[in-house]
Amino acid sequence: MKKAILYVFSGTGNTALVAELYKKYFSDYETVIYNIHKTGEEETVPQPADFDLVGIGYPVHGFNAPQIVNDFCKSLPKMNEGGADTGSGSKKTFIFKTSGEGLTYNNYSSQKIIRMMERKGYEFFTERHFVMPYNMIFRHSPQMVKSEYIYADAQVRLNVKELEEGRKNKLHYFPLRYWFVPVVRIEWLYARLQGPFMKVDMNKCTRCMKCANECPMDNIVFKTEGADGNKKESFKFGTDCTLCVRCSFNCPQSAISIGLLNNWKVNGSYHIKQTAEDASLEFPYFTEKLTGLYRWLFYKYYRRLDKELAQNGISL
Ligand SMILES: Cc1cc2nc3c(=O)[nH]c(=O)nc-3n(C[C@H](O)[C@H](O)[C@H](O)COP(=O)(O)O)c2cc1C
Ligand code: SF4
Ligand code: SF4
């Protein structure tokens, strides 16, 4: 049986959930999922040369890929013949990215990675964009979450079909509308600088250590200063943050503030799979009745997807 490796970064679980769907639906491939994180020197990363298909999965951050994903892709070895920088290799590769709304600007986030990896001999077949619940800015309603997951499941089945049939289907870009994406990449610098602005309210905190233990960048340290009776406890955030918001999103006490972005903080799991199974929730949600901001953010995305699913005989 052929083998697939999915290199996945996921701050709050959305992209990881989509990766699990790929693993579930690939029937031609035995699938391994590798979670991208800050690695120690002794750690070994599964090598693309040992697989027939490579997938890269990430959440869109500020219309870009998170820096850790970019750096990870940079570290992958060349697949060109003899390791030369010819761009003529043929390691079959695809991208899947998740974001909180459906605007086509999110498509541009892969450009830098694709250009860099094509030079190294990775041949991109498909690129797919999944709308999943926002972990920033505003909380999606349970009705939205249900629709998003059911559509994600269908889109994975569509993508698996394309990949197993060897079809190419890349997203389209309008270069004139793309100029500002590198500008927004300032977020990479901001993510590193914002460490000192992240704070834990020690009165709310129960010292469960979930935040420190689960940070993918090993960026949170618990400190105790002073002697018994005059002990002062605190959390220190370093400069390796990739702004994935896993710490603040998953804190059971909502005790972590995320600096300048705190007004956009979303706290608490969406329990996506359970929500999608709740028969009492209206489905589909993203229909003609959408108005205003929601229509702008989601309507076209779902109509394009409806069309593609119908053309390929994929049902919801
Ligand atoms: C710092 C940050 C920036 C984000 N920027 C965007 C964005 O530009 N466009 C968008 O649609 N969603 C944006 N989001 C939302 C996430 O892309 C979305 O919720 C994604 O599914 C999260 O995936 P994860 O759970 O795998 O981390 C952003 C989230 C964060 C934390
Ligand atoms: S996850 Fe929240 S409650 Fe737990 S240690 Fe961190 S800040 Fe405290
Ligand atoms: S400090 Fe929080 S936001 Fe930054 S990388 Fe760690 S878990 Fe993610």
Side-chain angles (χ1 to χ4, degrees):
M1 194 176 201
K2 290 188 283 185
K3 286 170 76 185
I5 174 80
L6 307 184
Y7 297 114
V8 179
F9 181 74
S10 180
T12 56
N14 292 348
T15 318
L17 208 52
V18 173
E20 285 296 337
L21 288 172
Y22 277 101
K23 188 172 172 144
K24 175 176 165 191
Y25 288 120
F26 271 135
S27 54
D28 281 6
Y29 296 93
E30 184 191 328
T31 307
V32 174
I33 297 176
Y34 174 82
N35 292 311
I36 299 173
H37 61 285
K38 185 176 168 183
T39 45
E41 271 171 25
E42 66 290 350
E43 244 176 289
T44 49
V45 175
Q47 289 301 295
D50 297 332
F51 295 87
D52 305 285
L53 177 67
V54 172
I56 310 281
Y58 66 84
V60 177
H61 282 179
F63 301 128
N64 281 280
Q67 184 167 15
I68 184 175
V69 176
N70 190 70
D71 292 351
F72 179 85
C73 293
K74 213 170 173 176
S75 76
L76 288 174
K78 288 178 181 173
M79 289 293 116
N80 304 326
E81 255 170 63
D85 208 356
T86 57
S88 63
S90 58
K91 179 59 70 182
K92 188 171 177 179
T93 307
F94 71 106
I95 280 195
F96 56 103
K97 53 203 155 193
T98 71
S99 81
E101 34 82 355
L103 298 180
T104 50
Y105 296 119
N106 293 297
N107 296 346
Y108 306 145
S109 62
S110 311
Q111 280 295 280
K112 194 173 161 65
I113 289 175
I114 291 179
R115 247 184 282 128
M116 171 172 62
M117 289 184 66
E118 276 181 346
R119 279 201 297 270
K120 293 204 283 184
Y122 294 81
E123 187 182 359
F124 282 84
F125 276 68
T126 64
E127 196 188 339
R128 291 239 155 237
H129 170 206
F130 295 84
V131 168
M132 291 292 276
Y134 245 147
N135 59 1
M136 183 75 123
I137 305 185
F138 65 87
R139 197 170 178 86
H140 287 188
S141 69
Q143 288 83 350
M144 294 166 80
V145 174
K146 177 174 177 176
S147 267
E148 286 158 358
Y149 186 67
I150 291 174
Y151 269 98
D153 186 285
Q155 188 175 194
V156 169
R157 283 182 276 126
L158 166 60
N159 196 193
V160 163
K161 188 172 184 222
E162 289 169 332
L163 287 164
E164 293 190 344
E165 289 172 4
R167 278 193 270 154
K168 285 198 172 175
N169 186 6
K170 290 213 240 163
L171 293 171
H172 297 291
Y173 302 98
F174 305 102
L176 287 177
R177 291 169 64 194
Y178 163 50
W179 62 270
F180 71 95
V181 170
V183 177
V184 188
R185 213 169 282 147
I186 190 84
E187 192 241 16
W188 289 4
L189 179 63
Y190 173 73
R192 288 169 166 274
L193 293 180
Q194 72 136 14
F197 298 103
M198 293 184 79
K199 296 251 177 325
V200 173
D201 180 340
M202 297 309 285
N203 294 321
K204 285 190 186 169
C205 172
T206 56
R207 282 53 163 180
C208 70
M209 297 300 151
K210 199 174 165 61
C211 54
N213 292 340
E214 294 180 4
C215 171
M217 302 304 290
D218 221 358
N219 191 48
I220 308 174
V221 179
F222 180 63
K223 291 180 84 175
T224 311
E225 287 163 301
D228 279 351
N230 195 20
K231 226 166 51 173
K232 191 168 177 280
E233 294 176 329
S234 63
F235 283 91
K236 192 175 176 319
F237 292 78
T239 52
D240 275 345
C241 181
T242 194
L243 214 52
C244 72
V245 300
R246 186 183 295 175
C247 53
S248 58
F249 184 85
N250 288 330
C251 171
Q253 305 300 318
S254 192
I256 303 177
S257 65
I258 51 173
L260 299 178
L261 300 176
N262 207 44
N263 285 338
W264 283 351
K265 184 175 97 170
V266 171
N267 175 257
S269 170
Y270 282 100
H271 303 292
I272 296 176
K273 277 170 134 178
Q274 292 95 311
T275 305
E277 281 163 13
D278 184 343
S280 71
L281 294 170
E282 169 195 9
F283 177 82
Y285 177 81
F286 299 101
T287 60
E288 279 301 329
K289 70 173 191 333
L290 289 182
T291 55
L293 180 70
Y294 278 27
R295 191 166 182 103
W296 181 59
L297 293 178
F298 301 105
Y299 185 75
K300 274 194 187 162
Y301 171 90
Y302 281 104
R303 296 301 74 79
R304 274 194 299 267
L305 192 49
D306 276 340
K307 204 168 146 194
E308 271 197 289
L309 293 172
Q311 280 166 352
N312 285 277
I314 307 274
S315 58
L316 288 172

